[in-house]
Amino acid sequence: MADDTTDTKSSNQMWGGRFASGPDAIMEEINASIGFDKKLFAQDIRGSIAHATMLAHQGIISTDDKDKIVHGLNTILSEIEGGNFEFSRQLEDIHMNVEARLATLIGPAAGRLHTARSRNDQVALDFRLWVKEELQKTEQMLTGLIAAFLDRAEEHAESVMPGFTHLQTAQPVTFGHHCMAYVEMFGRDRSRVRHAIEHLDESPIGAAALAGTGYPIDRHMTAKALGFREPTRNSIDTVSDRDFAIEFLSIAAIAGMHLSRLAEEIVIWSTPQFGFVRLSDAFSTGSSIMPQKKNPDAAELVRAKTGRINGSLVALLTIMKGLPLAYSKDMQEDKEQVFDAAESLELAIAAMTGMVRDMTVNTARMKEAAGSGYSTATDLADWLVREAGLPFRDAHHVTGRAVALAENKGCDLAELPLSDLQAIHAAITDKVYDVLTVEASVASRKSFGGTAPSEVRKQIAFWRARN
Ligand code: ARG
């Protein structure tokens, strides 16, 4: 790969003291992270301002130099925000791009900023700050999704639908109850997010390359200035650790799996065969060849985004699993995985929140489906236990015979004449018809966490108070 221009290239201005020549072109390409880590510019500048302020406070640099540094960093921040900053790949990453620009802006004082730190603790800091903000955003977005479900649950606390196991009609439930299942799932995701914020709330800056530093720095001061609870306690772990990124990805993968199950239900529910919900034009697309079609593309894409998120989790676990302590350049590959997963997760939550609020629920169709498939068979068995004193196993058997008879006659359980039911078991009276309707079935399931509208309303109140 070497050509004769290699030797004439100058070595890196930030770390090139012992290098006679610059990098091969391919070295520069594989080494540079600026293409993606420029996303960390705001965190990098915040971190540097806190570090410089602490250095001056401790008398490690002069107040005059600190003022120049802080002023210069703020100028760079506005330059980048205003799109007036030229990122250079030769300068590898965001840290050196900012520092080189600082040198152009303020001269030699810029060279004092990197006292008592290393890019190893600097990148750990920038990335932690970024992940922390992303977790906070995720927490809010999940709260929005939960709120959407709470509204739909309240609206449909009484609407009956078939509950499924094995995707076969099982027992009638309410749509409100089904919505509240998702509230529980996204509530758990949100509490995982909160725990992750607690775990990562330690400041890495001051760990330096890996061993700490001989300068009299104050890590508690920088931790406080940057909004962390406290500094990390082991400098080696600090620069080797990417658990916070892996935790973010694990949480994203679990939340993504929940979103994907919901997406799958929306896809099924919106088929003409089910017809339980209809997405408006705002959340559907048409087919270029079949004019009658309305496709739930947003739901399908949410289902697919989960694949990307899972890929990112596995990628970062694999990147990290063989690394000896402390920092290795492999760890530079952490950012794209997290950035991509964060973008996918945000999109998926936003699209889902939109769909949950948007979808029209066809309660008539749901009710019709809730009554088919002998969904109240368990209610008949329970009635036999309660009113006729049968052991549940016998009641199950008697009910099975009633279902077989109804199936033979091509009717529902509630349509079997009393004489037929009494021929199967003499203790059955016409009171049994009260429990064979879907409304009676759901109303009877008042056990804590059950599907009765009264119970669903209790759970809605519980979550409203927490949300
Ligand atoms: N760009 C690097 C990263 O993302 C920054 C840290 C580099 N440290 C080093 N000693 N080369 O990990």
Side-chain angles (χ1 to χ4, degrees):
M1 276 297 196
D3 60 47
D4 50 17
T5 59
T6 310
D7 285 341
T8 58
K9 262 200 193 168
S10 58
S11 63
N12 188 292
Q13 68 179 103
M14 311 304 279
W15 48 248
R18 60 163 294 186
F19 286 75
S21 74
D24 192 281
I26 198 69
M27 175 58 196
E28 192 177 292
E29 193 173 336
I30 197 173
N31 196 36
S33 54
I34 189 62
F36 48 88
D37 69 13
K38 60 180 166 207
K39 233 188 168 79
L40 300 175
F41 73 91
Q43 291 77 10
D44 194 71
I45 290 172
R46 258 175 75 201
S48 289
I49 290 176
H51 182 66
T53 308
M54 179 278 292
L55 290 177
H57 185 262
Q58 298 298 102
I60 302 167
I61 63 171
S62 71
T63 306
D64 195 38
D65 283 346
K66 182 262 290 177
D67 289 343
K68 283 188 194 140
I69 289 171
V70 171
H71 186 262
L73 287 169
N74 280 322
T75 306
I76 296 170
L77 183 64
S78 357
E79 284 178 352
I80 300 179
E81 280 173 349
N84 304 314
F85 189 95
E86 211 169 300
F87 291 102
S88 140
R89 199 171 78 173
Q90 266 120 49
L91 290 166
E92 274 184 50
D93 56 25
I94 186 63
H95 324 296
M96 297 204 293
N97 268 267
V98 170
E99 203 184 315
R101 176 70 185 141
L102 188 64
T104 319
L105 283 173
I106 68 166
R112 301 201 181 272
L113 172 60
H114 214 53
T115 314
R117 78 171 184 190
S118 146
R119 272 189 296 157
N120 296 351
D121 57 342
Q122 194 179 355
V123 72
L125 169 66
D126 295 2
F127 199 28
R128 254 184 213 245
L129 285 171
W130 194 91
V131 171
K132 186 177 172 184
E133 282 163 37
E134 190 60 31
L135 283 165
Q136 285 162 341
K137 198 191 271 181
T138 307
E139 183 184 357
Q140 279 179 11
M141 294 189 75
L142 287 170
T143 297
L145 177 56
I146 290 170
F149 266 119
L150 287 172
D151 289 348
R152 298 315 305 254
E154 201 157 314
E155 186 188 334
H156 290 288
E158 317 249 349
S159 311
V160 284
M161 70 179 281
F164 300 93
T165 61
H166 314 263
L167 197 55
Q168 305 287 326
T169 302
Q171 294 173 343
V173 295
T174 60
F175 185 58
H177 194 48
H178 200 100
C179 288
M180 292 305 290
Y182 282 104
V183 168
E184 295 288 335
M185 290 148 81
F186 295 120
R188 284 194 296 275
D189 291 331
R190 190 176 53 180
S191 94
R192 271 184 280 274
V193 167
R194 289 174 180 160
H195 282 130
I197 294 173
E198 285 209 358
H199 285 161
L200 68 60
D201 210 11
E202 298 174 349
S203 170
I205 193 74
L210 82 164
T213 175
Y215 294 98
I217 59 171
D218 183 349
R219 294 194 57 213
H220 289 87
M221 181 180 170
T222 39
K224 195 162 173 234
L226 292 164
F228 287 108
R229 187 181 56 233
E230 59 194 332
T232 54
R233 284 168 304 277
N234 181 297
S235 58
I236 296 176
D237 175 51
T238 301
V239 291
S240 331
D241 167 44
R242 290 295 181 270
D243 289 5
F244 60 94
I246 296 172
E247 270 198 45
F248 172 77
L249 292 173
S250 325
I251 293 167
I254 297 175
M257 173 271 290
H258 291 154
L259 288 159
S260 184
R261 294 181 77 173
L262 171 59
E264 172 66 3
E265 295 211 303
I266 291 178
V267 169
I268 294 174
W269 291 345
S270 58
T271 57
Q273 287 76 6
F274 267 76
F276 287 2
V277 302
R278 200 170 49 80
L279 291 170
S280 76
D281 293 355
F283 281 96
S284 326
T285 58
S287 155
S288 54
I289 175 172
M290 298 164 283
Q292 86 283 10
K293 296 226 22 199
K294 202 163 173 186
N295 297 326
D297 292 37
E300 293 166 63
L301 287 164
V302 167
R303 195 169 57 183
K305 293 282 179 203
T306 310
R308 292 175 75 121
I309 297 173
N310 291 351
S312 295
L313 171 61
V314 173
L316 188 52
L317 284 170
T318 311
I319 289 163
M320 296 302 294
K321 73 176 263 300
L323 299 188
L325 308 190
Y327 178 86
S328 294
K329 195 63 173 262
D330 311 49
M331 290 160 73
Q332 177 165 286
E333 294 281 317
D334 56 2
K335 286 167 231 35
E336 282 168 296
Q337 303 304 333
V338 170
F339 293 159
D340 187 78
E343 194 182 320
S344 297
L345 184 64
E346 276 188 36
L347 265 172
I349 301 176
M352 247 333 153
T353 309
M355 277 184 275
V356 169
R357 290 211 178 273
D358 173 86
M359 65 192 180
T360 307
V361 180
N362 188 339
T363 49
R365 180 71 201 103
M366 277 184 175
K367 187 179 163 182
E368 186 193 332
S372 69
Y374 311 106
S375 67
T376 55
T378 318
D379 299 275
L380 173 55
D382 288 341
W383 186 91
L384 287 163
V385 170
R386 215 173 41 241
E387 306 296 327
L390 266 64
F392 184 78
R393 278 291 152 230
D394 297 347
H396 185 285
H397 188 78
V398 169
T399 305
R401 288 181 54 204
V403 167
L405 181 63
E407 215 164 26
N408 255 328
K409 292 192 152 191
C411 70
D412 277 341
L413 277 178
E415 287 161 9
L416 285 175
L418 186 60
S419 54
D420 276 357
L421 289 170
Q422 284 175 335
I424 296 171
H425 198 285
I428 299 179
T429 70
D430 62 353
K431 286 243 176 311
V432 80
Y433 292 103
D434 291 348
V435 303
L436 295 182
T437 68
V438 287
E439 285 81 3
S441 170
V442 296
S444 72
R445 293 201 156 67
K446 288 200 185 83
S447 53
F448 184 82
T451 201
S454 56
E455 272 310 306
V456 172
R457 291 216 165 83
K458 274 184 210 160
Q459 299 309 331
I460 295 172
F462 172 83
W463 277 102
R464 286 250 188 245
R466 281 184 146 199
N467 209 35

